[in-house]
mmCIF file of all heavy atoms in Angstrom:
data_model
loop_
_atom_site.group_PDB
_atom_site.id
_atom_site.type_symbol
_atom_site.label_atom_id
_atom_site.label_comp_id
_atom_site.label_asym_id
_atom_site.label_seq_id
_atom_site.Cartn_x
_atom_site.Cartn_y
_atom_site.Cartn_z
ATOM 1 N N MET A 77 11.490 -17.003 52.279
ATOM 2 C CA MET A 77 10.131 -16.665 51.891
ATOM 3 C C MET A 77 10.093 -15.264 51.291
ATOM 4 O O MET A 77 10.858 -14.407 51.687
ATOM 5 C CB MET A 77 9.200 -16.726 53.101
ATOM 6 C CG MET A 77 8.701 -18.118 53.378
ATOM 7 S SD MET A 77 7.206 -18.119 54.327
ATOM 8 C CE MET A 77 7.857 -18.557 55.912
ATOM 9 N N GLN A 78 9.213 -15.092 50.370
ATOM 10 C CA GLN A 78 9.036 -13.820 49.662
ATOM 11 C C GLN A 78 8.088 -12.901 50.438
ATOM 12 O O GLN A 78 7.166 -13.366 51.103
ATOM 13 C CB GLN A 78 8.448 -14.114 48.282
ATOM 14 C CG GLN A 78 7.976 -12.918 47.524
ATOM 15 C CD GLN A 78 8.903 -12.528 46.405
ATOM 16 O OE1 GLN A 78 9.674 -13.340 45.935
ATOM 17 N NE2 GLN A 78 8.834 -11.292 45.999
ATOM 18 N N GLU A 79 8.337 -11.605 50.323
ATOM 19 C CA GLU A 79 7.415 -10.611 50.906
ATOM 20 C C GLU A 79 6.383 -10.235 49.860
ATOM 21 O O GLU A 79 6.713 -10.061 48.684
ATOM 22 C CB GLU A 79 8.181 -9.365 51.338
ATOM 23 C CG GLU A 79 9.028 -9.586 52.556
ATOM 24 C CD GLU A 79 8.634 -8.659 53.691
ATOM 25 O OE1 GLU A 79 7.943 -7.665 53.462
ATOM 26 O OE2 GLU A 79 9.031 -8.966 54.811
ATOM 27 N N TYR A 80 5.127 -10.117 50.293
ATOM 28 C CA TYR A 80 4.035 -9.745 49.405
ATOM 29 C C TYR A 80 3.257 -8.586 50.006
ATOM 30 O O TYR A 80 3.128 -8.481 51.230
ATOM 31 C CB TYR A 80 3.067 -10.916 49.200
ATOM 32 C CG TYR A 80 3.662 -12.062 48.431
ATOM 33 C CD1 TYR A 80 4.271 -13.120 49.078
ATOM 34 C CD2 TYR A 80 3.613 -12.076 47.039
ATOM 35 C CE1 TYR A 80 4.827 -14.163 48.370
ATOM 36 C CE2 TYR A 80 4.165 -13.123 46.319
ATOM 37 C CZ TYR A 80 4.771 -14.162 46.994
ATOM 38 O OH TYR A 80 5.321 -15.193 46.288
ATOM 39 N N SER A 81 2.743 -7.744 49.130
ATOM 40 C CA SER A 81 1.793 -6.706 49.522
ATOM 41 C C SER A 81 0.417 -7.211 49.124
ATOM 42 O O SER A 81 0.273 -7.873 48.096
ATOM 43 C CB SER A 81 2.070 -5.397 48.778
ATOM 44 O OG SER A 81 3.323 -4.882 49.128
ATOM 45 N N PHE A 82 -0.582 -6.899 49.931
ATOM 46 C CA PHE A 82 -1.936 -7.308 49.568
ATOM 47 C C PHE A 82 -2.911 -6.153 49.780
ATOM 48 O O PHE A 82 -2.695 -5.276 50.602
ATOM 49 C CB PHE A 82 -2.385 -8.534 50.371
ATOM 50 C CG PHE A 82 -2.570 -8.281 51.836
ATOM 51 C CD1 PHE A 82 -3.778 -7.821 52.345
ATOM 52 C CD2 PHE A 82 -1.539 -8.500 52.729
ATOM 53 C CE1 PHE A 82 -3.947 -7.592 53.701
ATOM 54 C CE2 PHE A 82 -1.688 -8.270 54.084
ATOM 55 C CZ PHE A 82 -2.901 -7.816 54.572
ATOM 56 N N THR A 83 -3.968 -6.178 48.984
ATOM 57 C CA THR A 83 -5.054 -5.220 49.090
ATOM 58 C C THR A 83 -6.362 -5.978 48.913
ATOM 59 O O THR A 83 -6.473 -6.815 48.021
ATOM 60 C CB THR A 83 -4.963 -4.133 47.994
ATOM 61 O OG1 THR A 83 -3.692 -3.491 48.089
ATOM 62 C CG2 THR A 83 -6.058 -3.094 48.150
ATOM 63 N N VAL A 84 -7.310 -5.687 49.782
ATOM 64 C CA VAL A 84 -8.653 -6.236 49.638
ATOM 65 C C VAL A 84 -9.581 -5.032 49.508
ATOM 66 O O VAL A 84 -9.701 -4.238 50.443
ATOM 67 C CB VAL A 84 -9.065 -7.106 50.844
ATOM 68 C CG1 VAL A 84 -10.396 -7.784 50.585
ATOM 69 C CG2 VAL A 84 -7.996 -8.131 51.173
ATOM 70 N N LYS A 85 -10.193 -4.873 48.342
ATOM 71 C CA LYS A 85 -11.009 -3.688 48.056
ATOM 72 C C LYS A 85 -12.234 -3.584 48.958
ATOM 73 O O LYS A 85 -12.600 -2.503 49.382
ATOM 74 C CB LYS A 85 -11.454 -3.690 46.596
ATOM 75 C CG LYS A 85 -10.320 -3.560 45.626
ATOM 76 C CD LYS A 85 -9.904 -2.142 45.476
ATOM 77 C CE LYS A 85 -8.840 -2.032 44.402
ATOM 78 N NZ LYS A 85 -8.244 -0.756 44.339
ATOM 79 N N GLU A 86 -12.881 -4.704 49.230
ATOM 80 C CA GLU A 86 -14.086 -4.657 50.046
ATOM 81 C C GLU A 86 -14.115 -5.838 51.004
ATOM 82 O O GLU A 86 -13.993 -6.981 50.591
ATOM 83 C CB GLU A 86 -15.334 -4.675 49.169
ATOM 84 C CG GLU A 86 -16.596 -4.367 49.945
ATOM 85 C CD GLU A 86 -17.785 -4.195 49.020
ATOM 86 O OE1 GLU A 86 -17.712 -3.359 48.103
ATOM 87 O OE2 GLU A 86 -18.775 -4.906 49.223
ATOM 88 N N VAL A 87 -14.265 -5.525 52.279
ATOM 89 C CA VAL A 87 -14.314 -6.522 53.337
ATOM 90 C C VAL A 87 -15.575 -6.275 54.146
ATOM 91 O O VAL A 87 -15.830 -5.156 54.582
ATOM 92 C CB VAL A 87 -13.069 -6.409 54.252
ATOM 93 C CG1 VAL A 87 -13.136 -7.416 55.373
ATOM 94 C CG2 VAL A 87 -11.797 -6.591 53.454
ATOM 95 N N ALA A 88 -16.385 -7.326 54.339
ATOM 96 C CA ALA A 88 -17.621 -7.211 55.114
ATOM 97 C C ALA A 88 -17.384 -7.686 56.544
ATOM 98 O O ALA A 88 -16.746 -8.709 56.769
ATOM 99 C CB ALA A 88 -18.719 -8.035 54.471
ATOM 100 N N ASP A 89 -17.912 -6.944 57.492
ATOM 101 C CA ASP A 89 -17.856 -7.309 58.906
ATOM 102 C C ASP A 89 -18.982 -8.290 59.166
ATOM 103 O O ASP A 89 -20.155 -7.929 59.086
ATOM 104 C CB ASP A 89 -18.007 -6.057 59.761
ATOM 105 C CG ASP A 89 -17.811 -6.311 61.241
ATOM 106 O OD1 ASP A 89 -17.980 -7.461 61.695
ATOM 107 O OD2 ASP A 89 -17.491 -5.345 61.959
ATOM 108 N N THR A 90 -18.661 -9.551 59.463
ATOM 109 C CA THR A 90 -19.701 -10.564 59.677
ATOM 110 C C THR A 90 -20.394 -10.401 61.017
ATOM 111 O O THR A 90 -21.480 -10.939 61.218
ATOM 112 C CB THR A 90 -19.112 -11.990 59.567
ATOM 113 O OG1 THR A 90 -18.083 -12.152 60.551
ATOM 114 C CG2 THR A 90 -18.555 -12.248 58.183
ATOM 115 N N LEU A 91 -19.801 -9.664 61.934
ATOM 116 C CA LEU A 91 -20.416 -9.447 63.248
ATOM 117 C C LEU A 91 -21.343 -8.243 63.244
ATOM 118 O O LEU A 91 -22.242 -8.145 64.088
ATOM 119 C CB LEU A 91 -19.322 -9.277 64.318
ATOM 120 C CG LEU A 91 -18.341 -10.443 64.426
ATOM 121 C CD1 LEU A 91 -17.257 -10.122 65.439
ATOM 122 C CD2 LEU A 91 -19.056 -11.725 64.790
ATOM 123 N N THR A 92 -21.137 -7.318 62.322
ATOM 124 C CA THR A 92 -21.983 -6.137 62.182
ATOM 125 C C THR A 92 -22.408 -6.040 60.718
ATOM 126 O O THR A 92 -21.764 -5.346 59.927
ATOM 127 C CB THR A 92 -21.224 -4.856 62.598
ATOM 128 O OG1 THR A 92 -20.607 -5.064 63.865
ATOM 129 C CG2 THR A 92 -22.161 -3.668 62.668
ATOM 130 N N PRO A 93 -23.470 -6.753 60.342
ATOM 131 C CA PRO A 93 -23.891 -6.753 58.933
ATOM 132 C C PRO A 93 -24.098 -5.332 58.397
ATOM 133 O O PRO A 93 -24.595 -4.446 59.087
ATOM 134 C CB PRO A 93 -25.212 -7.517 58.963
ATOM 135 C CG PRO A 93 -25.096 -8.399 60.163
ATOM 136 C CD PRO A 93 -24.316 -7.584 61.169
ATOM 137 N N GLY A 94 -23.673 -5.132 57.162
ATOM 138 C CA GLY A 94 -23.807 -3.834 56.524
ATOM 139 C C GLY A 94 -22.554 -2.983 56.607
ATOM 140 O O GLY A 94 -22.405 -2.015 55.879
ATOM 141 N N GLU A 95 -21.641 -3.323 57.491
ATOM 142 C CA GLU A 95 -20.389 -2.587 57.642
ATOM 143 C C GLU A 95 -19.351 -3.158 56.684
ATOM 144 O O GLU A 95 -19.129 -4.364 56.646
ATOM 145 C CB GLU A 95 -19.859 -2.690 59.072
ATOM 146 C CG GLU A 95 -20.715 -2.012 60.112
ATOM 147 C CD GLU A 95 -20.711 -0.498 59.984
ATOM 148 O OE1 GLU A 95 -19.644 0.084 59.742
ATOM 149 O OE2 GLU A 95 -21.789 0.092 60.104
ATOM 150 N N THR A 96 -18.725 -2.295 55.891
ATOM 151 C CA THR A 96 -17.662 -2.731 54.987
ATOM 152 C C THR A 96 -16.460 -1.800 55.122
ATOM 153 O O THR A 96 -16.588 -0.666 55.587
ATOM 154 C CB THR A 96 -18.122 -2.730 53.514
ATOM 155 O OG1 THR A 96 -18.495 -1.411 53.154
ATOM 156 C CG2 THR A 96 -19.272 -3.692 53.286
ATOM 157 N N THR A 97 -15.317 -2.309 54.733
ATOM 158 C CA THR A 97 -14.086 -1.530 54.775
ATOM 159 C C THR A 97 -13.130 -2.108 53.740
ATOM 160 O O THR A 97 -13.471 -3.051 53.035
ATOM 161 C CB THR A 97 -13.462 -1.554 56.187
ATOM 162 O OG1 THR A 97 -12.388 -0.629 56.244
ATOM 163 C CG2 THR A 97 -12.981 -2.932 56.580
ATOM 164 N N SER A 98 -11.946 -1.561 53.629
ATOM 165 C CA SER A 98 -10.902 -2.137 52.781
ATOM 166 C C SER A 98 -9.680 -2.389 53.652
ATOM 167 O O SER A 98 -9.543 -1.807 54.725
ATOM 168 C CB SER A 98 -10.553 -1.193 51.629
ATOM 169 O OG SER A 98 -10.059 0.022 52.127
ATOM 170 N N VAL A 99 -8.820 -3.280 53.185
ATOM 171 C CA VAL A 99 -7.664 -3.693 53.976
ATOM 172 C C VAL A 99 -6.446 -3.744 53.067
ATOM 173 O O VAL A 99 -6.539 -4.132 51.908
ATOM 174 C CB VAL A 99 -7.892 -5.099 54.583
ATOM 175 C CG1 VAL A 99 -6.709 -5.542 55.405
ATOM 176 C CG2 VAL A 99 -9.159 -5.133 55.416
ATOM 177 N N ARG A 100 -5.286 -3.372 53.610
ATOM 178 C CA ARG A 100 -4.026 -3.532 52.882
ATOM 179 C C ARG A 100 -2.928 -3.816 53.878
ATOM 180 O O ARG A 100 -3.020 -3.484 55.056
ATOM 181 C CB ARG A 100 -3.711 -2.305 52.039
ATOM 182 C CG ARG A 100 -3.254 -1.117 52.859
ATOM 183 C CD ARG A 100 -2.799 0.029 52.027
ATOM 184 N NE ARG A 100 -3.929 0.553 51.265
ATOM 185 C CZ ARG A 100 -3.866 1.589 50.475
ATOM 186 N NH1 ARG A 100 -2.740 2.232 50.324
ATOM 187 N NH2 ARG A 100 -4.915 2.014 49.840
ATOM 188 N N GLY A 101 -1.871 -4.460 53.400
ATOM 189 C CA GLY A 101 -0.759 -4.763 54.278
ATOM 190 C C GLY A 101 0.315 -5.562 53.560
ATOM 191 O O GLY A 101 0.304 -5.681 52.341
ATOM 192 N N THR A 102 1.234 -6.117 54.344
ATOM 193 C CA THR A 102 2.310 -6.944 53.807
ATOM 194 C C THR A 102 2.429 -8.212 54.642
ATOM 195 O O THR A 102 2.023 -8.241 55.811
ATOM 196 C CB THR A 102 3.665 -6.206 53.819
ATOM 197 O OG1 THR A 102 3.982 -5.863 55.165
ATOM 198 C CG2 THR A 102 3.630 -4.958 52.968
ATOM 199 N N LEU A 103 2.971 -9.252 54.021
ATOM 200 C CA LEU A 103 3.231 -10.495 54.734
ATOM 201 C C LEU A 103 4.266 -11.299 53.978
ATOM 202 O O LEU A 103 4.538 -11.030 52.809
ATOM 203 C CB LEU A 103 1.942 -11.311 54.899
ATOM 204 C CG LEU A 103 1.306 -11.837 53.620
ATOM 205 C CD1 LEU A 103 1.311 -13.355 53.657
ATOM 206 C CD2 LEU A 103 -0.096 -11.335 53.496
ATOM 207 N N SER A 104 4.843 -12.284 54.653
ATOM 208 C CA SER A 104 5.799 -13.202 54.033
ATOM 209 C C SER A 104 5.105 -14.536 53.818
ATOM 210 O O SER A 104 4.383 -15.011 54.691
ATOM 211 C CB SER A 104 7.009 -13.411 54.939
ATOM 212 O OG SER A 104 7.727 -12.217 55.083
ATOM 213 N N ALA A 105 5.320 -15.122 52.637
ATOM 214 C CA ALA A 105 4.724 -16.420 52.317
ATOM 215 C C ALA A 105 5.573 -17.094 51.243
ATOM 216 O O ALA A 105 6.313 -16.427 50.518
ATOM 217 C CB ALA A 105 3.297 -16.222 51.822
ATOM 218 N N PRO A 106 5.451 -18.414 51.118
ATOM 219 C CA PRO A 106 6.243 -19.118 50.116
ATOM 220 C C PRO A 106 5.770 -18.880 48.676
ATOM 221 O O PRO A 106 6.531 -19.093 47.735
ATOM 222 C CB PRO A 106 6.099 -20.589 50.501
ATOM 223 C CG PRO A 106 4.890 -20.652 51.360
ATOM 224 C CD PRO A 106 4.745 -19.317 52.010
ATOM 225 N N SER A 107 4.516 -18.452 48.489
ATOM 226 C CA SER A 107 3.991 -18.187 47.141
ATOM 227 C C SER A 107 2.856 -17.176 47.227
ATOM 228 O O SER A 107 2.316 -16.926 48.311
ATOM 229 C CB SER A 107 3.469 -19.481 46.504
ATOM 230 O OG SER A 107 2.302 -19.908 47.185
ATOM 231 N N ALA A 108 2.483 -16.625 46.082
ATOM 232 C CA ALA A 108 1.372 -15.668 46.043
ATOM 233 C C ALA A 108 0.063 -16.343 46.466
ATOM 234 O O ALA A 108 -0.752 -15.744 47.172
ATOM 235 C CB ALA A 108 1.233 -15.065 44.655
ATOM 236 N N GLU A 109 -0.141 -17.587 46.046
ATOM 237 C CA GLU A 109 -1.357 -18.314 46.416
ATOM 238 C C GLU A 109 -1.408 -18.550 47.924
ATOM 239 O O GLU A 109 -2.457 -18.408 48.550
ATOM 240 C CB GLU A 109 -1.433 -19.648 45.664
ATOM 241 C CG GLU A 109 -2.722 -20.390 45.875
ATOM 242 C CD GLU A 109 -3.971 -19.635 45.419
ATOM 243 O OE1 GLU A 109 -3.898 -18.877 44.433
ATOM 244 O OE2 GLU A 109 -5.026 -19.799 46.051
ATOM 245 N N ALA A 110 -0.268 -18.883 48.514
ATOM 246 C CA ALA A 110 -0.212 -19.076 49.977
ATOM 247 C C ALA A 110 -0.483 -17.753 50.690
ATOM 248 O O ALA A 110 -1.148 -17.738 51.732
ATOM 249 C CB ALA A 110 1.146 -19.640 50.383
ATOM 250 N N ALA A 111 0.007 -16.659 50.144
ATOM 251 C CA ALA A 111 -0.240 -15.341 50.739
ATOM 252 C C ALA A 111 -1.725 -15.015 50.708
ATOM 253 O O ALA A 111 -2.291 -14.537 51.688
ATOM 254 C CB ALA A 111 0.563 -14.269 50.008
ATOM 255 N N LYS A 112 -2.366 -15.291 49.581
ATOM 256 C CA LYS A 112 -3.805 -15.022 49.441
ATOM 257 C C LYS A 112 -4.607 -15.845 50.449
ATOM 258 O O LYS A 112 -5.505 -15.338 51.110
ATOM 259 C CB LYS A 112 -4.258 -15.334 48.012
ATOM 260 C CG LYS A 112 -5.698 -15.001 47.762
ATOM 261 C CD LYS A 112 -6.060 -15.227 46.303
ATOM 262 C CE LYS A 112 -7.512 -14.921 46.043
ATOM 263 N NZ LYS A 112 -7.880 -15.130 44.650
ATOM 264 N N LYS A 113 -4.263 -17.123 50.582
ATOM 265 C CA LYS A 113 -4.955 -17.986 51.545
ATOM 266 C C LYS A 113 -4.745 -17.500 52.972
ATOM 267 O O LYS A 113 -5.652 -17.545 53.797
ATOM 268 C CB LYS A 113 -4.503 -19.428 51.391
ATOM 269 C CG LYS A 113 -5.038 -20.073 50.138
ATOM 270 C CD LYS A 113 -4.602 -21.513 50.015
ATOM 271 C CE LYS A 113 -5.162 -22.115 48.731
ATOM 272 N NZ LYS A 113 -4.818 -23.512 48.584
ATOM 273 N N ALA A 114 -3.534 -17.009 53.277
ATOM 274 C CA ALA A 114 -3.245 -16.494 54.613
ATOM 275 C C ALA A 114 -4.080 -15.249 54.904
ATOM 276 O O ALA A 114 -4.582 -15.076 56.022
ATOM 277 C CB ALA A 114 -1.759 -16.182 54.758
ATOM 278 N N VAL A 115 -4.247 -14.379 53.902
ATOM 279 C CA VAL A 115 -5.070 -13.181 54.075
ATOM 280 C C VAL A 115 -6.516 -13.586 54.333
ATOM 281 O O VAL A 115 -7.153 -13.082 55.266
ATOM 282 C CB VAL A 115 -4.972 -12.247 52.844
ATOM 283 C CG1 VAL A 115 -6.003 -11.134 52.917
ATOM 284 C CG2 VAL A 115 -3.574 -11.672 52.733
ATOM 285 N N GLU A 116 -7.048 -14.510 53.542
ATOM 286 C CA GLU A 116 -8.427 -14.971 53.738
ATOM 287 C C GLU A 116 -8.625 -15.561 55.130
ATOM 288 O O GLU A 116 -9.601 -15.258 55.808
ATOM 289 C CB GLU A 116 -8.783 -16.023 52.678
ATOM 290 C CG GLU A 116 -8.895 -15.468 51.283
ATOM 291 C CD GLU A 116 -9.012 -16.547 50.223
ATOM 292 O OE1 GLU A 116 -8.582 -17.706 50.456
ATOM 293 O OE2 GLU A 116 -9.532 -16.228 49.140
ATOM 294 N N ARG A 117 -7.694 -16.387 55.553
ATOM 295 C CA ARG A 117 -7.772 -17.030 56.875
ATOM 296 C C ARG A 117 -7.710 -15.990 57.990
ATOM 297 O O ARG A 117 -8.481 -16.031 58.950
ATOM 298 C CB ARG A 117 -6.630 -18.050 57.001
ATOM 299 C CG ARG A 117 -6.700 -18.940 58.200
ATOM 300 C CD ARG A 117 -5.678 -20.086 58.154
ATOM 301 N NE ARG A 117 -4.333 -19.679 57.742
ATOM 302 C CZ ARG A 117 -3.767 -20.006 56.569
ATOM 303 N NH1 ARG A 117 -4.407 -20.745 55.689
ATOM 304 N NH2 ARG A 117 -2.549 -19.602 56.285
ATOM 305 N N SER A 118 -6.820 -15.020 57.843
ATOM 306 C CA SER A 118 -6.672 -13.973 58.844
ATOM 307 C C SER A 118 -7.945 -13.133 58.962
ATOM 308 O O SER A 118 -8.383 -12.797 60.065
ATOM 309 C CB SER A 118 -5.485 -13.082 58.492
ATOM 310 O OG SER A 118 -5.329 -12.059 59.420
ATOM 311 N N LEU A 119 -8.537 -12.789 57.829
ATOM 312 C CA LEU A 119 -9.782 -12.016 57.857
ATOM 313 C C LEU A 119 -10.889 -12.788 58.574
ATOM 314 O O LEU A 119 -11.600 -12.230 59.423
ATOM 315 C CB LEU A 119 -10.233 -11.678 56.433
ATOM 316 C CG LEU A 119 -9.401 -10.645 55.687
ATOM 317 C CD1 LEU A 119 -9.839 -10.573 54.224
ATOM 318 C CD2 LEU A 119 -9.502 -9.280 56.347
ATOM 319 N N ARG A 120 -11.039 -14.078 58.235
ATOM 320 C CA ARG A 120 -12.088 -14.898 58.853
ATOM 321 C C ARG A 120 -11.919 -14.987 60.364
ATOM 322 O O ARG A 120 -12.899 -14.911 61.100
ATOM 323 C CB ARG A 120 -12.100 -16.303 58.255
ATOM 324 C CG ARG A 120 -12.862 -16.388 56.957
ATOM 325 C CD ARG A 120 -13.166 -17.838 56.575
ATOM 326 N NE ARG A 120 -11.986 -18.686 56.543
ATOM 327 C CZ ARG A 120 -11.179 -18.828 55.494
ATOM 328 N NH1 ARG A 120 -11.410 -18.167 54.392
ATOM 329 N NH2 ARG A 120 -10.137 -19.630 55.557
ATOM 330 N N THR A 121 -10.683 -15.141 60.840
ATOM 331 C CA THR A 121 -10.468 -15.269 62.282
ATOM 332 C C THR A 121 -10.792 -13.970 63.014
ATOM 333 O O THR A 121 -11.026 -13.986 64.215
ATOM 334 C CB THR A 121 -9.026 -15.699 62.620
ATOM 335 O OG1 THR A 121 -8.118 -14.708 62.169
ATOM 336 C CG2 THR A 121 -8.696 -17.049 62.020
ATOM 337 N N ARG A 122 -10.819 -12.858 62.276
ATOM 338 C CA ARG A 122 -11.138 -11.554 62.874
ATOM 339 C C ARG A 122 -12.594 -11.147 62.648
ATOM 340 O O ARG A 122 -12.994 -10.040 62.966
ATOM 341 C CB ARG A 122 -10.201 -10.487 62.306
ATOM 342 C CG ARG A 122 -8.781 -10.633 62.810
ATOM 343 C CD ARG A 122 -7.832 -9.715 62.055
ATOM 344 N NE ARG A 122 -6.516 -9.692 62.655
ATOM 345 C CZ ARG A 122 -5.605 -10.647 62.534
ATOM 346 N NH1 ARG A 122 -5.878 -11.733 61.848
ATOM 347 N NH2 ARG A 122 -4.427 -10.535 63.102
ATOM 348 N N GLY A 123 -13.380 -12.058 62.053
ATOM 349 C CA GLY A 123 -14.796 -11.775 61.855
ATOM 350 C C GLY A 123 -15.110 -10.997 60.592
ATOM 351 O O GLY A 123 -16.139 -10.323 60.513
ATOM 352 N N TYR A 124 -14.247 -11.096 59.596
ATOM 353 C CA TYR A 124 -14.469 -10.410 58.322
ATOM 354 C C TYR A 124 -14.496 -11.415 57.182
ATOM 355 O O TYR A 124 -13.962 -12.509 57.301
ATOM 356 C CB TYR A 124 -13.349 -9.395 58.042
ATOM 357 C CG TYR A 124 -13.339 -8.242 58.987
ATOM 358 C CD1 TYR A 124 -12.532 -8.253 60.123
ATOM 359 C CD2 TYR A 124 -14.144 -7.135 58.770
ATOM 360 C CE1 TYR A 124 -12.520 -7.191 61.000
ATOM 361 C CE2 TYR A 124 -14.143 -6.066 59.642
ATOM 362 C CZ TYR A 124 -13.329 -6.095 60.760
ATOM 363 O OH TYR A 124 -13.322 -5.047 61.631
ATOM 364 N N GLU A 125 -15.111 -11.013 56.077
ATOM 365 C CA GLU A 125 -15.139 -11.834 54.881
ATOM 366 C C GLU A 125 -14.830 -10.949 53.683
ATOM 367 O O GLU A 125 -15.418 -9.877 53.535
ATOM 368 C CB GLU A 125 -16.517 -12.462 54.705
ATOM 369 C CG GLU A 125 -16.621 -13.357 53.510
ATOM 370 C CD GLU A 125 -17.996 -13.979 53.374
ATOM 371 O OE1 GLU A 125 -18.723 -14.066 54.369
ATOM 372 O OE2 GLU A 125 -18.331 -14.365 52.258
ATOM 373 N N ALA A 126 -13.913 -11.399 52.853
ATOM 374 C CA ALA A 126 -13.564 -10.635 51.651
ATOM 375 C C ALA A 126 -14.715 -10.747 50.660
ATOM 376 O O ALA A 126 -15.058 -11.833 50.224
ATOM 377 C CB ALA A 126 -12.279 -11.164 51.040
ATOM 378 N N THR A 127 -15.334 -9.616 50.339
ATOM 379 C CA THR A 127 -16.403 -9.599 49.343
ATOM 380 C C THR A 127 -15.916 -8.986 48.041
ATOM 381 O O THR A 127 -16.622 -8.986 47.054
ATOM 382 C CB THR A 127 -17.631 -8.820 49.868
ATOM 383 O OG1 THR A 127 -17.209 -7.520 50.271
ATOM 384 C CG2 THR A 127 -18.255 -9.526 51.050
ATOM 385 N N GLY A 128 -14.707 -8.463 48.050
ATOM 386 C CA GLY A 128 -14.077 -7.922 46.851
ATOM 387 C C GLY A 128 -12.835 -8.726 46.533
ATOM 388 O O GLY A 128 -12.488 -9.675 47.250
ATOM 389 N N ALA A 129 -12.177 -8.345 45.478
ATOM 390 C CA ALA A 129 -10.983 -9.065 45.035
ATOM 391 C C ALA A 129 -9.822 -8.882 46.016
ATOM 392 O O ALA A 129 -9.643 -7.810 46.583
ATOM 393 C CB ALA A 129 -10.568 -8.565 43.659
ATOM 394 N N ILE A 130 -9.054 -9.942 46.191
ATOM 395 C CA ILE A 130 -7.823 -9.891 46.980
ATOM 396 C C ILE A 130 -6.678 -9.828 45.976
ATOM 397 O O ILE A 130 -6.496 -10.745 45.175
ATOM 398 C CB ILE A 130 -7.667 -11.125 47.887
ATOM 399 C CG1 ILE A 130 -8.820 -11.210 48.871
ATOM 400 C CG2 ILE A 130 -6.327 -11.090 48.601
ATOM 401 C CD1 ILE A 130 -8.824 -12.479 49.711
ATOM 402 N N THR A 131 -5.923 -8.739 46.008
ATOM 403 C CA THR A 131 -4.793 -8.550 45.104
ATOM 404 C C THR A 131 -3.506 -8.774 45.876
ATOM 405 O O THR A 131 -3.289 -8.125 46.904
ATOM 406 C CB THR A 131 -4.809 -7.134 44.500
ATOM 407 O OG1 THR A 131 -6.068 -6.916 43.874
ATOM 408 C CG2 THR A 131 -3.697 -6.965 43.479
ATOM 409 N N VAL A 132 -2.667 -9.687 45.411
ATOM 410 C CA VAL A 132 -1.392 -9.991 46.055
ATOM 411 C C VAL A 132 -0.284 -9.759 45.030
ATOM 412 O O VAL A 132 -0.335 -10.296 43.932
ATOM 413 C CB VAL A 132 -1.360 -11.454 46.559
ATOM 414 C CG1 VAL A 132 -0.008 -11.792 47.138
ATOM 415 C CG2 VAL A 132 -2.456 -11.699 47.574
ATOM 416 N N THR A 133 0.709 -8.942 45.396
ATOM 417 C CA THR A 133 1.828 -8.660 44.502
ATOM 418 C C THR A 133 3.148 -8.799 45.266
ATOM 419 O O THR A 133 3.209 -8.475 46.458
ATOM 420 C CB THR A 133 1.740 -7.241 43.920
ATOM 421 O OG1 THR A 133 1.645 -6.309 44.982
ATOM 422 C CG2 THR A 133 0.535 -7.091 43.008
ATOM 423 N N PRO A 134 4.211 -9.266 44.599
ATOM 424 C CA PRO A 134 5.514 -9.346 45.257
ATOM 425 C C PRO A 134 5.976 -7.941 45.655
ATOM 426 O O PRO A 134 5.719 -6.977 44.941
ATOM 427 C CB PRO A 134 6.436 -9.914 44.185
ATOM 428 C CG PRO A 134 5.525 -10.551 43.190
ATOM 429 C CD PRO A 134 4.248 -9.785 43.235
ATOM 430 N N LYS A 135 6.630 -7.856 46.782
ATOM 431 C CA LYS A 135 7.108 -6.560 47.264
ATOM 432 C C LYS A 135 8.523 -6.321 46.815
ATOM 433 O O LYS A 135 9.317 -7.195 46.695
ATOM 434 C CB LYS A 135 7.022 -6.527 48.777
ATOM 435 C CG LYS A 135 7.258 -5.162 49.326
ATOM 436 C CD LYS A 135 6.827 -5.098 50.744
ATOM 437 C CE LYS A 135 7.054 -3.664 51.182
ATOM 438 N NZ LYS A 135 6.941 -3.427 52.531
#
C-alpha cells in the first residue's frame, strides 16, 4: 500500500456548531481515492465534517 499525506482546509465540529479547524496527517491506502474516503470516514466517526477540500498526495 502507498503512503499518502492529506490536508483538510476546513473541518466543522458537528457536536459544537460554529467550531471549525483544519486537519493534516498521513495514512496508507491502496489508492488516493481510498485514502480520501478513509479520511472522510475517520472525520465522521469523530464528530467532524469536511466543509473544505480534502487534498490527498502521495508521500
Side-chain angles (χ1 to χ4, degrees):
M77 276 202 257
Q78 169 105 22
E79 288 239 343
Y80 292 93
S81 296
F82 67 88
T83 303
V84 187
K85 295 279 185 189
E86 191 172 305
V87 178
D89 186 337
T90 60
L91 303 176
T92 311
E95 294 292 318
T96 61
T97 189
S98 62
V99 180
R100 74 173 65 177
T102 60
L103 65 117
S104 295
S107 69
E109 186 61 33
K112 184 175 179 180
K113 288 181 180 182
V115 170
E116 291 170 337
R117 189 170 45 250
S118 179
L119 289 171
R120 277 195 306 274
T121 62
R122 289 170 171 77
Y124 293 95
E125 182 179 338
T127 55
I130 299 174
T131 305
V132 176
T133 55
K135 190 165 182 191

